[in-house]
Amino acid sequence: MYEVVRELVGKEEIPPFYEIGYDLPFRKLEGIRERLGEEFLRTGATAQIRRGDNVAITAGSREITDITKILRFLVELVKERGAFPYIVAAMGSHGGATGEGQREVLSGYGICEETMGCPIVSEMDTELVGKTEQGLDVYMDRFAAQCDGIIIVGRVKPHTDFKGPVESGLAKMIAIGLGKQQGAELCHKLGFSRMSENVSRMARVVLEKKPVIFGVAILEDAFHHTAKLEVILPEDFEERERELLKEAKTLIPRIPYDKIDILVVDEIGKNISGAGMDPNITGRSPRLGIGPPYAERIAVLGICAGSHGAGTGIGNADVITRKAFDAFDFDMTYPNAITSNDPESVKLPAVMPGDREAIQFAMSVLMGDREGRVPKIVWIKNTNELQRFFVTESLLEETGQSGKLQVLGGPKNALFDKEGYVKGWEEAGRPE
């Protein structure tokens, strides 16, 4: 197998790489518990938690660095008020659109009964809460809908597939996260062009009809550190989320080159980005089109373990490895694509036997005359970790013109094992 393919792509010589350091905005918040305590003193938000109440606390499908600390604090807070906390899986159709699958996702982040000190509720049953003014049904997790109080916890950040005054955040956690598969599908059916307004409208219905006590908004810096925590009262959700989204957009990085030939991504995953690899970073989205760094080809080498086989975003690659293909779980991936009306993101690209052949394939299918020119290649771990990455020599001049980039080492050659997968790096010119 692959004999002819290896012969064809093997003509491409993978060039040496240079390690680059990227000076990204660093805003790590120290003292998570202390900051949350200050926020509750500022807002008086806990006054609505009454003794004996059942209180639902949302937990989503994204990997948020300090989520276990934040959730534990909230669980303890609810208990101190004499109420009964429950963590509720709020992730739309993720986790294969099953209660057990969503529980598994939470467990992978360390969110389980043993660590949280309260029950974890992960079901797919919903309750019809009401309708928007435009007649759109609004559904909500049945257990949460029957609780005496609801706490919405979510990260505010730019969305991968739609733009607007409200994108990923508390409103989306309400409308789509707590809406489960049924609510998420209804919202997506109306199209991404109207997603921001529909998410806001659906969230308003829940806020009017159900006892949402407060929200905890999380902002992260470019290093995936918690940069800001804010407790928000229900009547302030929409206004504050709009402001926080503007701030969040100043914190995300992008690949700092105007035009590249190839982007190599070690791993994608739903825990990394809802789109597997964030289009705000890669510049490629079936919904938003193509933008900087205008990569002509994208090679994806793997799906990270934390994604539990969800391979959403693989369709945005031109080539993947056999390892990535084998990790692709159809039952974990397709329900989300069906729910979000996004078949493009799960289309399977060309499959190569190893990392070496995947990169060589990407080089082989570049357009234009490349005689005597080293392709402009950027090699990253994933779209959450850009503080260190590799580039080829042809990008060094542009690197030197940026005040935020520094060459840390190189040239280095990638070393491959007998199956063609990367096993390390060596200084260029040295024997293996």
Side-chain angles (χ1 to χ4, degrees):
M1 185 180 293
Y2 287 111
E3 287 85 358
V4 175
V5 170
R6 281 195 172 99
E7 182 179 349
L8 290 173
V9 304
K11 299 173 184 177
E12 298 289 348
E13 183 177 348
I14 298 175
F17 286 83
Y18 294 79
E19 186 174 8
I20 305 299
Y22 192 178
D23 183 16
L24 297 170
F26 184 90
R27 275 186 47 183
K28 184 177 181 180
L29 179 66
E30 302 291 350
I32 298 297
R33 296 177 66 88
E34 291 77 6
R35 180 57 187 158
L36 284 170
E38 292 169 0
E39 280 293 289
F40 284 113
L41 284 175
R42 178 183 67 83
T43 60
T46 58
Q48 299 304 312
I49 304 175
R50 300 165 302 192
R51 181 171 296 276
D53 280 357
N54 290 325
V55 179
I57 306 170
T58 67
S61 60
R62 301 294 185 266
E63 185 175 17
I64 299 173
T65 299
D66 292 313
I67 193 62
T68 56
K69 294 179 184 178
I70 294 166
L71 292 177
R72 274 198 301 264
F73 182 96
L74 294 173
V75 167
E76 293 168 9
L77 183 72
V78 170
K79 288 181 176 180
E80 288 171 4
R81 299 285 298 179
F84 302 99
Y86 299 84
I87 290 178
V88 176
M91 57 184 79
S93 64
H94 298 173
T98 68
E100 188 55 41
Q102 296 195 350
R103 184 183 294 272
E104 183 181 342
V105 170
L106 293 183
S107 179
Y109 300 146
I111 302 169
C112 56
E113 294 187 9
E114 293 75 20
T115 57
M116 295 294 104
C118 75
I120 308 293
V121 180
S122 182
E123 302 172 352
M124 298 304 294
D125 294 335
T126 59
E127 174 183 304
L128 180 62
V129 175
K131 293 178 179 287
T132 67
E133 292 180 359
Q134 293 71 31
L136 178 65
D137 287 338
V138 179
Y139 288 90
M140 185 179 187
D141 178 278
R142 186 174 65 180
F143 179 85
Q146 295 173 356
C147 281
D148 304 299
I150 305 165
I151 298 171
I152 308 297
V153 182
R155 179 174 59 193
V156 178
K157 68 185 294 286
H159 197 271
T160 56
D161 292 312
F162 70 87
K163 298 301 174 188
V166 170
E167 297 179 24
S168 287
L170 302 183
K172 183 169 175 282
M173 182 64 78
I174 295 171
I176 294 179
L178 281 176
K180 311 301 280 193
Q181 193 279 334
Q182 192 172 16
E185 184 174 35
L186 281 171
C187 195
H188 284 86
K189 286 284 188 187
L190 298 173
F192 280 93
S193 64
R194 299 167 59 188
M195 185 70 75
S196 182
E197 60 184 289
N198 286 324
V199 162
S200 296
R201 288 167 176 168
M202 294 172 77
R204 284 183 210 129
V205 172
V206 173
L207 291 170
E208 291 170 3
K209 302 282 188 179
K210 292 298 176 179
V212 175
I213 304 171
F214 57 80
V216 177
I218 306 162
L219 268 65
E220 291 186 334
D221 69 7
F223 292 86
H224 208 31
H225 300 142
T226 300
K228 187 171 187 174
L229 289 169
E230 187 168 319
V231 174
I232 306 175
L233 299 176
E235 59 268 26
D236 299 325
F237 267 32
E238 192 162 348
E239 180 181 354
R240 281 305 301 148
E241 185 166 344
R242 289 172 180 238
E243 293 303 314
L244 289 172
L245 177 60
K246 293 176 183 177
E247 184 175 350
K249 287 181 177 180
T250 68
L251 297 175
I252 66 166
R254 75 171 185 89
I255 292 173
Y257 300 99
D258 293 332
K259 176 72 175 72
I260 65 175
D261 295 312
I262 299 170
L263 174 63
V264 179
V265 184
D266 281 336
E267 59 182 11
I268 65 171
K270 290 293 284 187
N271 55 319
I272 295 169
S273 168
M277 49 180 174
D278 191 343
N280 293 300
I281 309 298
T282 66
R284 185 184 292 190
S285 166
R287 306 292 182 183
L288 301 176
I290 307 297
Y294 296 100
E296 184 179 336
R297 305 297 179 196
I298 296 179
V300 168
L301 307 185
I303 298 174
C304 67
S307 193
H308 300 278
T312 301
I314 212 162
N316 287 325
D318 299 290
V319 58
I320 62 173
T321 64
R322 182 72 195 201
K323 178 176 66 177
F325 176 80
D326 290 342
F328 187 94
D329 188 315
F330 294 88
D331 284 335
M332 289 293 285
T333 305
Y334 285 171
N336 184 233
I338 294 167
T339 299
S340 59
N341 288 272
D342 188 17
E344 294 87 359
S345 71
V346 295
K347 289 181 178 179
L348 288 172
V351 180
M352 290 292 108
D355 299 337
R356 176 177 53 219
E357 290 81 10
I359 298 169
Q360 289 173 325
F361 179 94
M363 294 172 65
S364 296
V365 294
L366 287 175
M367 301 296 289
D369 181 12
R370 295 192 294 113
E371 184 68 31
R373 181 175 74 84
V374 176
K376 295 180 177 182
I377 306 176
V378 175
W379 191 335
I380 66 174
K381 181 178 180 182
N382 59 54
T383 55
N384 265 353
E385 300 182 46
L386 293 183
Q387 58 269 31
R388 296 287 186 274
F389 57 86
F390 291 91
V391 304
T392 49
E393 182 181 6
S394 49
L395 284 168
L396 287 183
E397 181 178 354
E398 195 171 341
T399 297
Q401 293 171 353
S402 170
K404 295 184 177 181
L405 301 176
Q406 180 183 5
V407 179
L408 301 179
K412 296 180 180 180
N413 287 322
L415 294 176
F416 300 94
D417 63 22
K418 63 181 182 179
E419 295 180 335
Y421 291 104
V422 174
K423 65 178 182 179
W425 296 84
E426 69 170 359
E427 295 298 325
R430 294 183 183 180
E432 181 173 349

